[in-house]
Amino acid sequence: MIQAVQSAIFLALHLLVLVLCVVALVDALRRPARAFTAAGKRTRNFWLAILGVATALSFVATPFGGGGGGLLLFAILSAVAASVYLVDVKPAVAPYSGRGGPGGGTGSW
């Protein structure tokens, strides 16, 4: 009984990491490449590569068959990459994306 609950919680956390990575990847895909350099961040292609690998690793690490925890490090690294993007890069890039945001975000340079 306890093992079933632990497996369910473990699966839920892995799925949360997968969703986090997908959200970060989709957001990076929607941002213009110029916004990254204008905000003083690494290039869009760099973040797309990092987030693409993080999404793939989090998918591989998700224990869809239940049990399993051997790939927990992949899930942790994926969560870190997506979190860094969402907490640091996304807010810095938002004013240059032309979608609103702090200060009106009209996209004018």
Side-chain angles (χ1 to χ4, degrees):
M1 174 71 175
I2 293 176
Q3 185 179 5
V5 172
Q6 287 176 335
S7 293
I9 292 171
F10 196 67
L11 177 62
L13 290 173
H14 273 278
L15 290 175
L16 180 67
V17 170
L18 180 60
V19 168
L20 186 74
C21 289
V22 169
V23 166
L25 180 62
V26 168
D27 185 76
L29 283 168
R30 297 179 66 204
R31 304 282 175 183
R34 295 183 314 206
F36 288 83
T37 54
K41 298 297 178 183
R42 300 289 297 236
T43 64
R44 179 177 183 242
N45 288 337
F46 172 83
W47 281 107
L48 289 176
I50 293 293
L51 295 172
V53 169
T55 302
L57 287 178
S58 66
F59 178 77
V60 168
T62 303
F64 289 111
L71 300 176
L72 181 61
L73 181 62
F74 286 165
I76 292 170
L77 292 175
S78 299
V80 168
S83 297
V84 166
Y85 175 82
L86 291 172
V87 172
D88 182 43
V89 179
K90 180 182 175 183
V93 172
Y96 303 99
S97 297
R99 290 195 186 102
T106 59
S108 59
W109 302 62

